[in-house]
Amino acid sequence: MAREDLVFIAGAGPVGLAAAVELTRRGVPVRIADRDAGPTPADQSRALGVLPQTLRILEASGLSEKLLAAGTTVGGADLSIGEKKVVSLDLSGARTPYPFILSLPQGKTERLMIEWLGARNVAVEWNVPVEAVGDTRRPTVRLGTGEEVAATAVLGCDGGHSKVREEIGVPWVGEGYPGIFALADVAFSVPIDPHRARFSLGSPAGTSHALVPMSDRTGRLIGFHDSPERLVAAAKNVERVIWQSTFHVAFRRAERMSRGWVFLAGDAAHVHSPVGGRGMNLGIWDVATFAWLFSEHRETEYESKRLPVVKTVLDQTFAGTQTLDDPPAYLGPLLRYVMPLATGVPFVGRRIAERLLALDLPQPEWL
């Protein structure tokens, strides 16, 4: 039975929007507000990869079909050392209806979710920051407009500098990382294979980079470079740069993911490097779990279910980031000689594909 309780969602990025979708489809009334003026600009891809678990979760709302129609499926990857390709990976053997990564710019993902919510009379309140949360046992959200909103639960999806997390006094635990990531969304002068990603392990350390296609003429370049210009210069046939940025990364999580009736999800609860494409997806898995538990009157289980998964993902992404940033000496021979043989064994190839697609993590219990 649907709950009548109002859930207030702070933050209308893809995680907050997914929370609104999952709660709304379960009959739970929501309000969702964001301090920004609108969704991510359409020309900034930001979070790009949508993983199989996310598509399975969004099937029930009908959004998976819309996302698939708007995006590009990436079903494999070629790994190189320098300019020489050493191994190809195929994701088709993974045990999922979606054996691929869906490449879809964040701005498009957000707009499809906003459209879905609008069709159900749920509107994002833009330019409305959260200023206070009040008593975590009976939260009353004070907004920048001066309005006070009494809510049964508050879900903080308001990013790494979360006001909600600050309000409930939950500290970060973890550490920073010395490397700098550069990224650039680019258009190519010649077509690329839109269904295969490319990864290059660089030498010396700090020059590894990847290309994730967005179409047969556009893609995301990302790597350990101190400037997007150097990253773009290392690629071939780049016609123009659509968007570029550099950023530092950290591996941190909230010490806890709930306090009373206030809950944290997405970047408000955990931040890490983009290696593996887990960030946005992990946040969507958080809020989908919350929506399920809330609708079942089991929200007190949220932290115990999500925190172990968050810890696992942070450990995995930290290890992956270190490996790509400064590849160990054994990695070259492993990729050249062992991986081609290993991936030829169906069982091993399937396990690798499922690890890359995050299918080794706990899957949604309600599906």
Side-chain angles (χ1 to χ4, degrees):
M1 181 179 294
R3 291 186 66 164
E4 299 290 333
D5 316 83
L6 175 73
V7 175
F8 185 91
I9 303 166
V15 173
L17 291 168
V21 167
E22 285 295 290
L23 287 163
T24 297
R25 78 169 182 83
R26 293 177 182 276
V28 178
V30 302
R31 283 185 65 175
I32 177 170
D34 195 286
R35 58 179 173 258
D36 290 338
T40 298
D43 62 348
Q44 295 183 14
S45 65
R46 299 196 184 181
L48 185 62
V50 182
L51 293 172
Q53 185 178 144
T54 301
L55 292 170
R56 288 191 65 218
I57 286 168
L58 296 176
E59 279 180 347
S61 64
L63 272 167
S64 290
E65 185 178 352
K66 295 180 182 296
L67 295 176
L68 287 165
T72 299
T73 58
V74 180
D78 298 321
L79 278 66
S80 301
I81 298 178
E83 295 291 322
K84 183 176 176 57
K85 184 171 77 172
V86 293
V87 66
S88 291
L89 299 176
D90 181 11
L91 303 179
S92 64
R95 292 167 292 185
T96 171
Y98 308 106
F100 48 76
I101 297 169
L102 180 68
S103 176
L104 182 63
Q106 180 177 325
K108 291 184 179 180
T109 300
E110 291 177 1
R111 283 164 175 79
L112 287 170
M113 290 180 175
I114 290 168
E115 179 183 312
W116 188 96
L117 290 167
R120 290 153 181 83
N121 299 314
V122 178
V124 178
E125 300 172 47
W126 300 108
N127 292 311
V128 179
V130 170
E131 293 191 345
V133 170
D135 187 342
T136 59
R137 293 166 297 179
R138 292 185 176 181
T140 298
V141 183
R142 187 173 75 245
L143 304 177
T145 59
E147 182 185 4
E148 293 191 347
V149 181
T152 299
V154 174
L155 187 55
C157 307
D158 50 341
H161 299 287
S162 170
K163 179 65 175 177
V164 174
R165 190 184 65 247
E166 175 188 319
E167 277 290 297
I168 64 175
V170 174
W172 280 126
V173 294
E175 58 188 304
Y177 192 81
I180 299 176
F181 276 91
L183 60 85
D185 294 345
V186 300
F188 295 98
S189 58
V190 298
I192 61 172
D193 186 342
H195 304 298
R196 296 196 69 78
R198 288 184 284 176
F199 297 90
S200 177
L201 289 178
S203 181
T207 60
S208 297
H209 62 275
L211 166 64
V212 181
M214 293 189 285
S215 71
D216 63 353
R217 289 277 185 170
T218 58
R220 153 76 60 82
L221 294 169
I222 185 165
F224 295 93
H225 291 67
D226 56 11
S227 74
E229 291 77 14
R230 286 186 59 206
L231 179 65
V232 171
K236 296 179 179 178
N237 303 315
V238 174
E239 187 174 64
R240 64 185 176 91
V241 176
I242 301 168
W243 177 68
Q244 63 184 32
S245 180
T246 57
F247 57 96
H248 292 272
V249 297
F251 293 85
R252 296 192 174 99
R253 62 171 177 84
E255 188 175 64
R256 55 186 306 173
M257 293 181 69
S258 65
R259 179 159 283 163
W261 285 87
V262 182
F263 304 84
L264 301 173
D267 286 356
H270 41 76
V271 294
H272 52 81
S273 88
V275 171
R278 303 291 193 263
M280 175 185 71
N281 293 278
L282 184 60
I284 291 175
W285 305 338
D286 290 342
V287 297
T289 303
F290 171 81
W292 167 58
L293 292 171
F294 187 83
S295 67
E296 296 284 327
H297 298 265
R298 295 168 54 193
E299 53 279 327
T300 55
E301 300 175 35
Y302 174 71
E303 181 174 280
S304 65
K305 287 187 178 294
R306 294 309 302 161
L307 204 50
V309 180
V310 168
K311 290 177 179 177
T312 297
V313 170
L314 260 65
D315 288 344
Q316 289 178 349
T317 53
F318 184 79
T321 301
Q322 283 191 312
T323 298
L324 293 175
D325 186 19
D326 189 9
Y330 66 80
L331 189 59
L334 178 69
L335 291 176
R336 285 189 181 95
Y337 308 116
V338 179
M339 280 291 286
L341 295 173
T343 54
V345 179
F347 169 76
V348 176
R350 185 178 71 232
R351 291 291 296 272
I352 292 171
E354 291 177 351
R355 177 67 178 268
L356 291 172
L357 294 173
L359 296 172
D360 58 327
L361 297 172
Q363 300 300 293
E365 296 176 47
W366 62 93
L367 295 181

